[in-house]
Amino acid sequence: MAQSLPFKEVHVVFLIDRSGSMKTVRSLDSRQRFAVGMQMAREVVEAGSSLPRYMAVWSFENNSYQVHQDFTTEPQLIFNALSALQAGNGTTPLAYSACEAVNRLKGFRTNVFAQKRIELSSDGQENDSPVGSECQGPDSPAMDPQSWQWKVRNKLRTGSAQNPNVPPAGFEIVSHITFFGSFLSLRDGGSDVVPEVSRDGRLVADASLPAPTGGPFVRYLRAIAEESGGRLTVVEDNQPVPALGDVDRNGCVNNVDLDLVLANFGNTVPPGDKRADINGDFIVDYNDYSMVIAQWGMGGRCNVTF
């Protein structure tokens, strides 16, 4: 029998990077990173939830963010908002947008004990948050105090960009992050990264410097995701698109994933295995099982007939 759930609702902001480099065409399948990001966001919506789920769609580009769909329980409205989005040419105000999304999440339905979650889809580092905004700051891979990395981590942890203390109950905001990158040099088959241009004509993104998988920015994203109870999914331009139902992350949705979900079926997380909680609502149930079945044979590294 399932244990009682720790939350009563789930509140999610889909935070979508529309900056210029998201137009980069993947070397594997000739699709834009942005198109793949939208596909993966739709999969999160399709995964459903056993709890009432309020979702919103935001995007960021060119010094600011936009709210395309405020919180709704209607999946079709989220699908419509995602389908209407297009990548732009501008810069990446990641810090500003993430911290504003935290403010909105924390202020939404405060009378209900809810999981607060950001579903971030991006391929670039912070490069153009408004000067003087709460989480704007210098770049520091070591997360030096007052850097944007330090401020964003604090904001996710505590709701305050200036408070580095770890709350006893854990992060305020769960972060599920999808990061796109070209990690091979061009001569080895990597993609040519589309540059970003600010509104005043400055070339901001250097297309010749793709982020390495083991580099400081990806390590930073992984730390934020895992410390908050979320997950980081890295999507390389020369690799198949990961499937949400691939719970063991071996590149194929198959009986191994199904067995893991069934072994944890009915359990809350924890003590259930977090990997089996595909939709992230802290219980392994029919929604997670259905996602494995719906994506059977997907993942790019298997050829299975169900």
Side-chain angles (χ1 to χ4, degrees):
M1 184 172 66
Q3 301 94 329
S4 60
L5 292 173
F7 298 107
K8 301 300 182 184
E9 295 178 353
V10 177
H11 303 163
V12 183
V13 170
F14 288 90
L15 189 58
I16 309 296
D17 183 351
R18 291 192 303 108
S19 63
S21 56
M22 287 293 281
K23 286 184 173 180
T24 297
V25 175
R26 289 163 39 85
S27 55
L28 181 71
D29 54 20
S30 299
R31 300 172 65 194
Q32 286 188 359
R33 292 175 177 174
F34 186 79
V36 173
M38 294 303 93
Q39 169 196 322
M40 297 178 73
R42 286 192 291 270
E43 289 180 1
V44 173
V45 180
E46 291 167 354
S49 176
S50 295
L51 298 173
R53 184 174 57 161
Y54 291 81
M55 299 172 285
V57 176
W58 291 29
S59 74
F60 56 93
E61 183 217 14
N62 260 346
N63 197 314
S64 192
Y65 65 91
Q66 289 181 261
V67 178
H68 303 275
Q69 172 62 59
D70 207 348
F71 285 109
T72 178
T73 59
E74 295 296 329
Q76 189 58 53
L77 294 178
I78 300 299
F79 288 135
N80 293 346
L82 292 171
S83 296
L85 291 179
Q86 293 183 335
N89 300 302
T91 51
T92 308
L94 176 58
Y96 176 55
S97 305
C99 290
E100 288 299 308
V102 171
N103 289 335
R104 182 70 179 101
L105 280 163
K106 285 180 60 63
F108 181 69
R109 292 178 62 83
T110 56
N111 60 317
V112 179
F113 185 45
Q115 181 207 48
K116 307 285 188 174
R117 190 165 88 216
I118 290 176
E119 292 276 351
L120 172 65
S121 177
S122 179
D123 75 339
Q125 300 189 50
E126 154 65 33
N127 60 32
D128 204 15
S129 287
V131 175
S133 57
E134 182 182 15
C135 292
Q136 182 267 339
D139 182 71
S140 171
M143 283 189 289
D144 291 332
Q146 304 308 317
S147 66
W148 73 263
Q149 291 98 327
W150 182 82
K151 291 179 179 179
V152 169
R153 190 186 193 192
N154 294 345
K155 188 73 175 179
L156 292 166
R157 276 179 166 178
T158 67
S160 168
Q162 296 297 325
N163 182 2
N165 300 316
V166 180
F171 269 45
E172 288 271 350
I173 308 294
V174 175
S175 300
H176 290 178
I177 302 172
T178 300
F179 179 78
F180 297 86
S182 177
F183 304 119
L184 298 180
S185 65
L186 296 181
R187 63 179 177 274
D188 291 331
S191 297
D192 189 4
V193 181
V194 176
E196 298 175 1
V197 181
S198 69
R199 284 176 291 183
D200 59 3
R202 291 179 294 110
L203 185 66
V204 176
D206 186 343
S208 67
L209 296 174
T213 52
F217 183 58
V218 178
R219 291 200 301 269
Y220 170 73
L221 293 179
R222 190 178 303 281
I224 285 178
E226 294 181 353
E227 290 173 0
S228 72
R231 58 177 172 258
L232 171 69
T233 301
V234 176
V235 185
E236 301 187 41
D237 287 337
N238 68 325
Q239 297 295 323
V241 177
L244 189 61
D246 180 19
V247 298
D248 68 345
R249 301 297 181 96
N250 74 342
C252 177
V253 182
N254 58 16
N255 62 297
V256 177
D257 306 296
L258 182 60
D259 288 347
L260 185 58
V261 170
L262 292 177
N264 289 274
F265 199 89
N267 288 325
T268 56
V269 178
D273 191 323
K274 182 175 74 172
R275 295 175 300 168
D277 179 24
I278 294 172
N279 63 0
D281 65 358
F282 291 100
I283 185 169
V284 182
D285 59 9
Y286 185 74
N287 292 299
D288 307 296
Y289 167 84
S290 297
M291 202 63 191
V292 172
I293 299 303
Q295 294 193 327
W296 194 271
M298 295 175 60
R301 299 189 185 279
C302 61
N303 183 16
V304 177
T305 302
F306 179 67

